[in-house]
Amino acid sequence: MAFDLDMIKRVYDNYGSRIEAAREIVGKPLTLTEKILYAHLWEGNATEARERGVTYVDFAPDRVAMQDATAQMALLQFMQAGRPTVAVPSTVHCDHLIQAKVGANEDLSTANTQNKEVYDFLASVSNKYGIGFWKPGAGIIHQVVLENYAFPGGMMIGTDSHTPNAGGLGMIAIGVGGADACDVMAGLAWELKFPKLIGVKLTGKLSGWASAKDVILKVAGILTVKGGTGYIVEYFGEGARSLSATGKGTICNMGAEIGATTSVFGYDEKIADYLKGTNRTDIANLADAVKEHLTGDEEVYTNPQTYFDQVIEIDLSTLEPHVNGPFTPDMAWPISKFAEAVREHGWPQELEVGLIGSCTNSSYEDISRAASIAKQAVDKNLQAKAEFTITPGSELVRYTVERDGYLKTFESMGGVVLANACGPCIGQWARHSTDPTRKNSILTSFNRNFKARNDGNPNTHAFVASPEIVTALTIAGDLGFNPLTDTLLNKDGIQVKLDEPQGLEGPEKGYAVEDAGYQAPAEDGSIVSVVVNPDSARLQLLDPFKAWEGTDITGLKLLIKAKGKCTTDHISMAGPWLKFRGHLDNISNNMLIGATNFFNEKADNVKNQLNSEYGSVPATARAYKAAGIGSIVIGDENYGEGSSREHAAMEPRHLGVRAILVKSFARIHETNLKKQGMLALTFCNTNDYDRILEDDVIDIVGLNEFAPAQPLTIVLHHADGNSESFNVNHTYNEQQIEWFKAGGALNIIRQSQQQNA
């Protein structure tokens, strides 16, 4: 059965007319991306062509999805909006707060006890406001969305950076901050700069050890972690049509690692098969009726260079398995060159742990292919040399693969099955180690491998590969092992070679589940109460941020000048801090503690200009705030790369930071800063980064004339009495400037609801 079928019918009923109007306005054939975007304009039928990378556009997404860590803040904000129910279908998924420690049952039981207050809050808010609630253990948000909610040609936003996973079913699915989700749930338009387009033409067909994961690992190596920023990536060609729907989802999921707004595949037989296999034949039938609109026009794919801003071509028939890392997901190594790279760079060659699953690679196909390698280890009398964990993506997948014997196969190899949750992928991993700071290597089928992300140890060298490659190298316990060419010594002293993985795109006996974990909201939410204990350490009702004072902002103290990579993990760490995601003041104690201070090369160690002493970043910010002094953060390239977590924007706002000035921003983080009433600024000349000194007091001038495309001025007051100034850029449009003036977008929503009450 499909959720929200009437909504999907309405979307498809309008598709033909909206695309016809867009094609007439644009005056040329349309890509799939353009069709979906123009079909979801807030205004209805297109009346003007949108300029890629320039025009801000209002859209009307079909649905919203939130995971438990980000849903807390999103829903705390929504509670201030004054609406009795959400305006579009919305869901909450409890997947982030379950720590992987012992095994699935024990870990889930512990999470239900430790997180009861948060789960009760999320369940009650969902019940009150008409939001579907997926209980702890139901699965990871993106896998559950793929199995239940994603549909070809739709548009959704989600409060997690890997929301693009739904692109595997032909949906434009974009990761956002909670404030964006709040807007859409409140019935407002959602704004996005009309993206540029990258076309990836896939030819040939995968075979042997190569998998869909290797497509995105190769693309990441080509585009780097910021090469997709401002772009939607559209995959097409015979190779694209040959990939399973879940394989397509893997590719779209990890597109977040190249900074892409999202990624998408066109509707085809593989997607239809998956819809039917997950009891959504009615949606497949609806999609079949409009299928010409659910893929790009033929002329586009015949001459892609004419219609895309950039085109990449990959031959799947010759694609080699890849291993990417360490510390960044775009350092791509074909398996034939990986062993040499390990030795050349001096990375720890012994593999200590292999981890498969996560939202990126936890489909039936992934599990079955990896299990075929695990079975060989048992049958060929091989002893796995490294620890091995398996994270199913949903209860539907877990129940089905257990029924079909795959989990037993993993356990026979020595594997430990973890809960249907994010776990080690996001740092929710109580890793067993005799020395948690030792240099070591792990290999995962996850998406992100930033320093210290998985286990909190900055010396853990995390690499990313497909589940089948992870399983093979886990058996070997050696990063120098190439399963395509090398042999292993078994318990009998015989050299044996692993055969190519075998698997099924879906279960031959169909999917099965006893309790998928879904809880429908109350028919009448007005009788439901949501209570937050004022003494809670985990939940805190929000107070509105103050509006702009109407003058230039002067006398700002430099809080930190961050050097190098500064992801949202550096700005607002996950792991043990996840428990404070609903309490802004408490979680603000992790603000920027992972960022490297340019002036002393240390993390969480900055100079307090009030007493010239060095201390933690949050404590220093609190000292400035207590003294009534604002502060500013300086950053490097691609600042805010990674997660959609808006806490990375709300924490600085809460602790008195007025502006973030960087060389360049990651898309989601820049938007989150704007939504919270912050100034997100970039250097006109990146060399000006070098002019900022540790004891500087900084002014931001020109705010009374704050206007789109008009630079502001930074004035540096140095400790020696000298001053200098330079211009800085911003990307604010008129509406976003109003967010800044009001103190945040939510203040405008609240005022609007009060006026209409």
Side-chain angles (χ1 to χ4, degrees):
M1 166 190 159
F3 287 90
D4 309 308
L5 191 60
D6 288 342
M7 176 270 285
I8 296 171
K9 287 179 180 177
R10 289 194 299 272
V11 171
Y12 286 160
D13 285 346
N14 292 323
Y15 238 80
S17 60
R18 290 199 169 190
I19 289 173
E20 183 179 345
R23 192 180 285 115
E24 184 175 338
I25 287 291
V26 174
K28 63 180 179 63
L30 299 176
T31 64
L32 169 64
T33 300
E34 290 170 316
K35 288 182 179 181
I36 299 176
L37 293 177
Y38 276 109
H40 285 85
L41 293 177
W42 180 259
E43 68 188 45
N45 285 353
T47 57
E48 60 177 315
R50 269 51 178 199
E51 187 176 355
R52 297 178 190 171
V54 175
T55 309
Y56 279 95
V57 182
D58 285 341
F59 291 103
D62 301 312
R63 66 177 314 110
V64 172
M66 297 164 280
Q67 41 94 335
D68 52 354
T70 52
Q72 295 172 63
M73 199 59 70
L75 293 175
L76 284 165
Q77 292 178 87
F78 179 77
M79 288 170 65
Q80 297 185 56
R83 283 189 60 98
T85 187
V86 292
V88 302
S90 303
T91 53
V92 168
H93 304 259
C94 296
D95 61 358
H96 273 55
L97 299 179
I98 303 169
Q99 186 182 49
K101 187 174 184 179
V102 180
N105 293 334
E106 297 93 328
D107 293 344
L108 181 56
S109 176
T110 299
N112 277 320
T113 300
Q114 292 182 343
N115 303 317
K116 185 179 187 303
E117 179 185 16
V118 172
Y119 292 151
D120 287 349
F121 167 74
L122 293 174
S124 63
V125 174
S126 298
N127 206 23
K128 182 174 182 65
Y129 293 107
I131 298 169
F133 181 72
W134 290 81
K135 296 180 289 187
I140 306 174
I141 176 173
H142 312 303
Q143 183 70 21
V144 174
V145 165
L146 199 73
E147 294 167 355
N148 295 278
Y149 297 112
F151 68 96
M155 173 185 274
M156 69 173 284
I157 60 172
T159 60
D160 190 280
S161 56
H162 293 102
T163 299
N165 191 79
L169 284 193
M171 193 174 203
I172 291 290
I174 300 176
V176 300
D180 279 346
C182 182
D183 283 0
V184 175
M185 290 189 294
L188 302 181
W190 175 64
E191 182 189 69
L192 177 74
K193 183 181 289 186
F194 204 83
K196 296 182 179 180
L197 302 180
I198 295 175
V200 180
K201 181 179 181 179
L202 301 179
T203 62
K205 189 175 183 179
L206 294 170
S207 63
W209 285 87
S211 72
K213 180 66 163 248
D214 299 305
V215 176
I216 186 58
L217 293 177
K218 183 174 179 65
V219 169
I222 294 170
L223 290 176
T224 77
V225 292
K226 64 177 184 175
T229 303
Y231 291 84
I232 288 181
V233 182
E234 182 173 324
Y235 291 84
F236 63 93
E238 59 173 335
R241 294 189 294 273
S242 73
L243 297 172
S244 68
T246 52
K248 292 177 170 75
T250 291
I251 293 169
C252 293
N253 177 297
M254 202 174 160
E257 270 41 80
I258 58 173
T261 301
T262 193
S263 304
V264 68
F265 283 80
Y267 179 63
D268 57 23
E269 288 187 8
K270 297 287 190 179
I271 294 176
D273 289 344
Y274 185 75
L275 287 169
K276 294 170 185 175
T278 50
N279 296 317
R280 290 176 286 172
T281 299
D282 39 10
I283 295 180
N285 292 338
L286 289 172
D288 284 338
V290 294
K291 62 183 179 181
E292 72 272 21
H293 303 312
L294 303 179
T295 186
D297 288 337
E298 184 177 348
E299 299 92 331
V300 170
Y301 298 147
T302 301
N303 297 291
Q305 286 80 4
T306 303
Y307 300 97
F308 292 98
D309 299 287
Q310 182 178 349
V311 177
I312 296 169
E313 186 168 339
I314 297 174
D315 181 2
L316 301 184
S317 301
T318 60
L319 180 64
E320 192 175 343
H322 278 61
V323 181
N324 286 23
F327 305 133
T328 185
D330 60 346
M331 190 182 293
W333 306 99
I335 191 70
S336 61
K337 299 185 182 303
F338 181 56
E340 179 185 351
V342 170
R343 291 189 289 269
E344 182 179 324
H345 290 87
W347 300 324
Q349 187 166 330
E350 178 188 357
L351 178 62
E352 296 195 8
V353 191
L355 307 98
I356 66 169
S358 82
C359 65
T360 319
N361 281 101
S362 56
S363 67
Y364 190 92
E365 182 179 28
D366 291 325
I367 297 296
S368 63
R369 281 175 63 87
S372 76
I373 303 301
K375 187 175 187 302
Q376 291 183 56
V378 176
D379 293 346
K380 297 184 179 185
N381 212 14
L382 288 165
Q383 177 69 48
K385 300 292 180 60
E387 293 181 34
F388 189 42
T389 70
I390 304 93
T391 305
S394 70
E395 178 59 13
L396 181 73
V397 168
R398 189 212 64 79
Y399 188 94
T400 305
V401 298
E402 181 179 47
R403 179 201 66 188
D404 294 347
Y406 295 129
L407 295 189
K408 186 175 181 180
T409 298
F410 289 133
E411 290 168 351
S412 298
M413 178 189 141
V416 175
V417 180
L418 302 175
N420 312 323
C422 299
C425 184
I426 60 164
Q428 283 284 59
W429 183 22
R431 183 177 176 187
H432 309 292
S433 176
T434 55
D435 182 359
T437 63
R438 184 187 69 255
K439 281 189 177 183
N440 71 99
S441 291
I442 65 173
L443 180 62
T444 83
S445 69
F446 306 161
N447 42 45
R448 217 161 257 168
N449 59 342
F450 301 150
K451 184 177 290 189
R453 177 177 176 85
N454 302 115
D455 61 2
N457 179 9
N459 294 306
T460 293
H461 294 61
F463 300 87
V464 180
S466 68
E468 44 269 59
I469 290 293
V470 173
T471 306
L473 268 64
T474 299
I475 295 168
D478 181 2
L479 292 181
F481 174 66
N482 181 351
L484 283 68
T485 58
D486 299 345
T487 59
L488 294 170
L489 187 68
N490 71 5
K491 296 177 185 177
D492 301 320
I494 301 172
Q495 292 288 340
V496 297
K497 190 172 186 293
L498 295 173
D499 300 322
E500 294 175 350
Q502 304 293 325
L504 298 169
E505 292 183 9
E508 292 180 334
K509 294 185 288 185
Y511 289 98
V513 68
E514 287 184 349
D515 178 8
Y518 175 71
Q519 180 176 301
E523 290 289 336
D524 179 9
S526 64
I527 62 175
V528 178
S529 297
V530 179
V531 179
V532 174
N533 184 342
D535 297 324
S536 172
R538 298 194 62 173
L539 294 167
Q540 179 187 48
L541 295 176
L542 295 174
D543 292 321
F545 290 130
K546 292 181 179 179
W548 173 55
E549 55 267 66
T551 64
D552 289 337
I553 300 175
T554 60
L556 299 178
K557 301 292 188 183
L558 174 64
L559 180 60
I560 185 172
K561 179 178 176 179
K563 179 180 180 180
K565 187 183 281 280
C566 193
T567 71
T568 48
D569 279 353
H570 295 90
I571 304 168
S572 176
M573 287 184 177
W577 291 94
L578 284 173
K579 63 185 177 184
F580 297 125
R581 282 286 178 87
H583 198 293
L584 181 56
D585 193 57
N586 282 346
I587 199 169
S588 293
N589 289 321
N590 78 359
M591 185 189 73
L592 284 159
I593 63 176
T596 299
N597 182 359
F598 176 90
F599 298 105
N600 59 14
E601 301 281 340
K602 295 180 180 180
D604 199 26
N605 189 266
V606 295
K607 187 174 183 179
N608 181 335
Q609 293 189 39
L610 301 179
N611 58 21
S612 296
E613 295 179 358
Y614 285 81
S616 76
V617 181
T620 304
R622 288 185 187 277
Y624 292 149
K625 181 180 179 181
I629 299 170
S631 57
I632 185 171
V633 170
I634 308 298
D636 214 319
E637 297 282 5
N638 207 30
Y639 183 90
E641 171 193 347
S643 170
S644 69
R645 68 191 68 147
E646 65 188 327
H647 300 77
M650 295 185 77
E651 292 172 31
R653 183 77 164 97
H654 176 63
L655 295 187
V657 177
R658 302 298 302 274
I660 311 290
L661 170 60
V662 301
K663 294 180 181 178
S664 64
F665 281 107
R667 176 191 63 84
I668 299 176
H669 187 64
E670 182 181 23
T671 300
N672 286 346
L673 290 168
K674 292 177 179 180
K675 285 279 184 177
Q676 301 303 334
M678 294 276 284
L679 284 173
L681 309 173
T682 56
F683 293 100
C684 296
N685 180 351
T686 57
N687 291 329
D688 289 336
Y689 171 91
D690 299 320
R691 298 165 68 176
I692 296 171
L693 306 180
E694 188 172 32
D695 291 302
D696 281 351
V697 176
I698 300 171
D699 301 337
I700 303 173
V701 177
L703 289 173
N704 284 308
E705 294 79 37
F706 196 9
Q710 183 172 318
L712 297 171
T713 300
I714 292 290
V715 181
L716 304 177
H717 301 283
H718 300 309
D720 63 4
N722 291 319
S723 297
E724 56 180 318
S725 63
F726 52 84
N727 286 346
V728 291
N729 291 327
H730 64 84
T731 61
Y732 288 75
N733 60 25
E734 291 180 358
Q735 176 178 268
Q736 293 167 348
I737 290 172
E738 293 306 310
W739 298 345
F740 166 74
K741 291 180 178 179
L746 186 59
N747 290 346
I748 294 178
I749 296 175
R750 186 187 307 104
Q751 292 162 9
S752 174
Q753 293 292 338
Q754 290 171 348
Q755 291 168 1
N756 295 330

